[in-house]
Amino acid sequence: MSRADVAAICVETAGPAGLVGFRRVTARTRVTGLSNTSGRPLSRASAGTAVALALAESPFHAEGGGQACDTGAVRSGDTVVQVTEVRRGASGHPSHRGRVLSGAIAPGDVVDAEADGPRRLAIARSHTAAHVLHHVLRGLLGEQAVRLRSLAGPGRLVYEFRHRRTLAPAELTLVEERVNSLLLADPEVTAGRRTGAPVVSIGDFSREQCGGTHVSHGSLAGTIRVRNQRVSAPGFLRIEVWTGFDALRAVDLGTLKLRELTELLEDPARDPVDALRSRLGQLAQLRQEVERLRQADRDRRAAALADRAELVRGGLLVTARVDGLARSELPVLATAVAERLASGLGLAVLGGADGPVTDIAAATGPALLARGVRAADVLLGAANLVGGEVRGDGTAAVVTGSRVAVLAEALLEIRGAARAALAGARH
């Protein structure tokens, strides 16, 4: 991207003080101020120093007015200062922040300042698209869709406005279509002043107070592509948009992903969305069937374990090691066993190991809980053995530990504690 390209594509607007114009990205100028990033004046800065420069004239646009700042470099002989941030100073003149990469710089030096041309154009495309987006949103959603803030960056636009809900997919598509139609109709972008303030007009449909960078015709902005949206605050919606070449890359990426999806679905003759919807429906049915089979297996195991219940003083007791279950299923199975024990006077304790972790789950019937037998109390001694903490209370509790080798010993400990708890239950 040459300097001539920027001059040909960007529209000249009435920018802030000290700026040479938005159609230029270079300026032979002089350093009028030098400080560190904390504002302390410097008489000289050498390589590696973070600095803030003031220039007599600047080709850099500072961040503000709804757009990101220019970046670039300031050079003089072997001296190079990389400019990474440009802020508007109290006087209105830009402050150029960056780092001395080589050589040294001092106040009074004559330098060549150059903003990044491709970045300038990418920001200008986004800024022009922002004005058109503003016009389209107010036309579709009403005059209440007032812009709160926006930031036009290279290839990206963030736009926040007053609206109470997110937009439906069809509404977002319509926004894209209308913005792109207006841009590709190639309206002229002109700049002027109204009551002393800079104004940018796009065709005969948009006129806004603005001193930022813009392309000279709508088609030079390219197209937009909505990236995402979210409610940023009560009553405000934030939309992120790809612009220019980034919008084209987003379309290309979407096309590529759609092609990959079509290949994965192995049904090229069918609409990929319909094919995916059908596959997801089949997957949901399979999940339901898996859950039904899991429930049946749980019922079978629970019935078998309940049949092995030991009649002890105060109720029925089941203690067993059960392997092959997911950790989340162990307490569910323990509860299912307790529910099958007669008159709610049953206590079920099940242990299992999953790799380096052991779990022990306890469940009691409601009648035992009413007599003061809590599942968590039964697991306290075992918690010390397996090196874990008891979670839960009332009719269900679990302890998880890392000492798998002592699981059998822990179950024996629990069996003794459970028998004692049942025997000492209130009657």
Side-chain angles (χ1 to χ4, degrees):
M1 184 69 68
S2 69
R3 301 170 190 172
D5 291 325
V6 176
I9 293 174
C10 280
V11 64
E12 191 62 273
T13 57
L19 195 69
V20 297
F22 293 140
R23 296 179 68 182
R24 289 177 56 187
V25 292
T26 62
R28 171 64 63 88
T29 184
R30 182 172 53 85
V31 178
T32 58
L34 177 66
S35 67
N36 64 15
T37 53
S38 299
R40 182 172 62 85
L42 300 174
S43 60
R44 178 182 173 85
S46 55
T49 306
V51 295
L53 296 175
L55 303 175
E57 288 186 319
S58 174
F60 294 90
H61 186 282
E63 180 169 330
Q67 74 171 61
C69 67
D70 286 332
T71 60
V74 172
R75 295 181 173 86
S76 177
D78 295 333
T79 298
V80 178
V81 179
Q82 182 184 32
V83 177
T84 56
E85 182 183 8
V86 185
R87 298 180 181 178
R88 191 77 48 78
S91 64
H93 290 256
S95 172
H96 311 77
R97 293 170 176 254
R99 187 173 296 276
V100 182
L101 299 184
S102 61
I105 196 164
D109 287 352
V110 176
V111 295
D112 292 306
E114 182 171 0
D116 183 329
R119 177 182 171 90
R120 163 77 61 80
L121 284 180
I123 294 172
R125 291 187 181 101
S126 295
H127 204 160
T128 300
H131 283 220
V132 178
L133 177 62
H134 181 221
H135 167 76
V136 168
L137 287 172
R138 296 194 77 176
L140 286 174
L141 304 176
E143 294 298 312
Q144 78 279 358
V146 178
R147 177 174 52 206
L148 174 65
R149 63 177 65 89
S150 63
L151 181 62
R156 182 172 177 265
L157 167 64
V158 179
Y159 193 91
E160 193 169 0
F161 63 102
R162 187 181 297 279
H163 198 58
R164 294 184 178 276
R165 59 172 178 83
T166 56
L167 301 182
E171 291 177 306
L172 289 176
T173 299
L174 186 58
V175 168
E176 286 184 355
E177 290 177 350
R178 292 197 178 180
V179 171
N180 291 334
S181 294
L182 287 170
L183 288 173
L184 296 180
D186 202 29
E188 185 179 9
V189 182
T190 58
R193 284 189 173 272
R194 183 175 59 187
T195 62
V199 173
V200 170
S201 299
I202 303 176
D204 60 0
F205 59 84
S206 173
R207 190 179 189 191
E208 295 189 41
Q209 182 176 319
C210 180
T213 61
H214 288 270
V215 292
S216 59
H217 286 80
S219 64
L220 296 173
T223 59
I224 70 160
R225 185 79 170 180
V226 176
R227 181 184 181 189
N228 58 49
Q229 62 171 331
R230 65 179 177 85
V231 175
S232 56
F236 287 94
L237 183 62
R238 175 189 173 108
I239 294 180
E240 293 190 29
V241 174
W242 282 299
T243 61
F245 290 112
D246 286 74
L248 296 177
R249 293 187 190 101
V251 173
D252 289 343
L253 180 60
T255 302
L256 176 61
K257 293 296 184 183
L258 187 60
R259 189 177 299 128
E260 291 177 352
L261 177 61
T262 302
E263 292 174 356
L264 288 172
L265 292 170
E266 299 178 343
D267 194 357
R270 191 175 182 185
D271 180 85
V273 175
D274 289 342
L276 179 59
R277 187 177 291 114
S278 176
R279 294 292 180 89
L280 291 175
Q282 294 171 8
L283 180 60
Q285 291 178 351
L286 289 174
R287 285 177 172 169
Q288 290 176 358
E289 179 62 15
V290 168
E291 181 55 35
R292 187 189 66 79
L293 293 173
R294 184 180 287 123
Q295 179 66 49
D297 180 65
R298 187 162 53 239
D299 291 343
R300 179 187 59 79
R301 288 187 181 223
L305 289 167
D307 288 344
R308 294 163 45 188
E310 177 184 5
L311 180 61
V312 298
R313 183 183 173 189
L316 297 169
L317 175 63
V318 174
T319 57
R321 175 167 180 163
V322 181
D323 291 317
L325 286 180
R327 293 178 59 193
S328 60
E329 293 181 357
L330 193 64
V332 177
L333 180 58
T335 298
V337 174
E339 289 174 348
R340 281 169 168 74
L341 299 177
S343 303
L345 294 173
L347 173 60
V349 181
L350 305 179
D354 184 7
V357 176
T358 183
D359 290 286
I360 304 174
T364 67
L368 277 183
L369 180 62
R371 295 184 179 186
V373 179
R374 299 167 59 251
D377 296 338
V378 176
L379 297 180
L380 289 176
N384 294 326
L385 286 174
V386 300
E389 294 183 358
V390 178
R391 305 186 311 275
D393 201 357
T395 59
V398 179
V399 60
T400 299
S402 58
R403 300 171 189 162
V404 177
V406 300
L407 177 57
E409 182 182 350
L411 287 173
L412 284 175
E413 161 72 24
I414 291 172
R415 185 172 182 273
R419 289 173 67 96
L422 290 170
R426 298 191 302 268
H427 293 281

